[in-house]
Each structure stands twice: as C-alpha cells, then as structure tokens.
Amino acid sequence: QSALTQPRSVSGSPGQSVTISCTGTNSDFGGYDYVSWYQHHPGQAPKLLTYDVNKRPSGVQDRFSGSKSGNTASLTISGLKAEDEADYYCCSYTGSYTFNYVFGTGTKVTVL
Amino acid sequence: QLQLQESGPGLVKPSETLSLTCTVSGDSISSSTYYWGWIRQPPGKGLEWIGSIYYSGSTYYNPSLKSRVTISMDTSKNRFSLKLNSVTAADTAVYHCVLWFGYLLSTPFSWGQGTLVTVSS
C-alpha cells in the first residue's frame, strides 16, 4: 500500500486561501468518506483538523475545511495566518481491516 | 483535556527490544470510550500505524509488524506501552502514542508529540 500523494509544498500570503490535495486509489479510500487531515508543527503533537472528510473537531477554526471528489481529498485553509505555517498530512481509513490507514506524503505550507 | 506523553530510550541497539511508554493525563485509560496505540514515522518517510489496544486488553497489530510487537496497559499508572523486538535500522523513527474514540476508529484523534528512537550500535 503506497502513501497518498500530496504536493511537497504550497505557499500563500496572509489572508489568502491555499488548497492541499491528497490523491490515492480506489483501495486507498475503500469507498468510504473516512479522510482526516492533520497539522504538524515540528516538535509538537500533530493536531486533527478535519475528519470524515469535512467534519471539524471542537475548537478547530472554520478556516480549515475538507472535501473529497473521487479519489482526491483536499484541505483548504482560508484567511491564511502566519501560525498556519506547518506540515499537513492526510489520512484515509481503508476499511480492509480495523485500524488500516494510509497516510499522505505530507505538505509544507509556507506563509509568505 | 486529554494529553499523551511518550517516554523511553532514544537509542536502541540492533537486534534488541525497543520499549516506549505513553503516560495519559486527563482521563483514565480504563475508560471504554477510548482505544490507545502507536503510530511511527521514519525520517523522510510516511506515517505507519503500529498497533492499538482497548481497555479490555484486546490488541490490534499491523500485519507487517505483528510478529515483533506487543502493546500492553498499566492501569495503575494510567499508561500503556510498546515493545518492538529484534529492531533494525529500519525501525528508526519518531514514535507517537495516539488515542482513538471508540465510535470513530476511522480517525487517529489525538496524538502525543512523539519521541525519536534511533536504532544504531
């Protein structure tokens, strides 16, 4: 099982929107909408931003939104802030067995 | 607020056993609400689920690591542990302890900051 493909880096100016793609195969997504996104500042705990494609945990700003079309999931960060500069990972639950996940290759977001 | 903190040796010799502990604060690991487990990331590589455990003692392991992995719980100290035996350089990674909600096993929900374990002589 290969990793989900993400762009290595994306960048934007404060206030702009950026979108990170996450592409896989039919088996990677398993026909489910179980895609989650994580923000990871190095040295800190990864933080869950969205799950089940477009749900947000309590406390996550609505500037972060998830979507999915076919075998590509996306995370959009609106109103980009300096604090958003971090690594972002997608994750898909494949459903082939309990706890079977495939993770994305990771994207570095740079705020210009 | 639930917090997870990994601890353990940062250096392990090849063929030996890697042992890590995750101390949980903010709730009991004996709660039926959660599953607990480990995810790792080798330097420059992708994330990989290692295994998980439920309060009942039920364990779930990545088939590719199953023969070498043991995850256990110490409810008296509110922590759980990972043992990975016969390690090689390929096991060098940042190891995160992770929490899942029982109703949402599709999503690794909360993570520790991770600890780097290097396998080297």
Side-chain angles (χ1 to χ4, degrees):
Chain A
Q1 202 166 52
S2 298
L4 299 170
T5 301
Q6 298 181 230
R8 185 175 292 270
S9 64
V10 299
S11 61
S13 300
Q16 289 186 331
S17 294
V18 295
T19 296
I20 305 167
S21 60
C22 168
T23 302
T25 64
N26 285 342
S27 61
D28 290 335
F29 292 104
Y32 301 112
D33 286 336
Y34 292 145
V35 178
S36 50
W37 285 91
Y38 300 86
Q39 177 191 63
H40 188 203
H41 290 102
Q44 298 184 22
K47 177 184 178 182
L48 178 65
L49 296 175
T50 66
Y51 66 99
D52 290 357
V53 175
N54 56 12
K55 297 178 182 176
R56 277 186 301 274
S58 174
V60 173
Q61 297 176 50
D62 60 6
R63 299 189 298 108
F64 298 94
S65 61
S67 62
K68 179 173 173 283
S69 178
N71 290 330
T72 297
S74 299
L75 176 74
T76 297
I77 309 173
S78 305
L80 202 61
K81 299 181 178 181
E83 67 208 46
D84 299 332
E85 186 160 299
D87 297 317
Y88 292 80
Y89 293 91
C90 60
C91 171
S92 173
Y93 176 67
T94 72
S96 56
Y97 56 83
T98 307
F99 295 105
N100 187 23
Y101 309 97
V102 58
F103 291 93
T105 51
T107 298
K108 169 69 174 182
V109 170
T110 301
V111 181
L112 301 172
Chain B
Q1 182 180 354
L2 263 168
Q3 293 192 334
L4 298 85
Q5 181 64 58
E6 305 87 351
S7 60
L11 181 65
V12 181
K13 289 183 168 54
S15 80
E16 296 190 346
T17 297
L18 178 159
S19 296
L20 295 175
T21 296
C22 181
T23 301
V24 177
S25 58
D27 207 340
S28 170
I29 66 167
S30 299
S31 168
S32 61
T33 301
Y34 312 110
Y35 286 69
W36 312 94
W38 297 88
I39 291 173
R40 70 180 182 178
Q41 184 171 29
K45 296 188 177 181
L47 291 153
E48 178 182 39
W49 170 71
I50 300 170
S52 300
I53 189 167
Y54 192 42
Y55 84 104
S56 62
S58 296
T59 52
Y60 308 80
Y61 298 132
N62 187 319
S64 68
L65 299 170
K66 185 174 184 177
S67 64
R68 300 193 292 129
V69 174
T70 302
I71 296 175
S72 59
M73 303 175 74
D74 183 346
T75 56
S76 67
K77 295 182 178 179
N78 215 43
R79 66 189 191 188
F80 60 99
S81 298
L82 167 70
K83 291 190 185 299
L84 180 66
N85 58 36
S86 305
V87 297
T88 69
D91 296 309
T92 294
V94 174
Y95 286 76
H96 296 274
C97 53
V98 183
L99 163 157
W100 287 260
F101 285 98
Y103 64 84
L104 199 64
L105 294 185
S106 57
T107 302
F109 204 90
S110 185
W111 302 51
Q113 68 182 43
T115 187
L116 174 63
V117 179
T118 301
V119 178
S120 174
S121 56

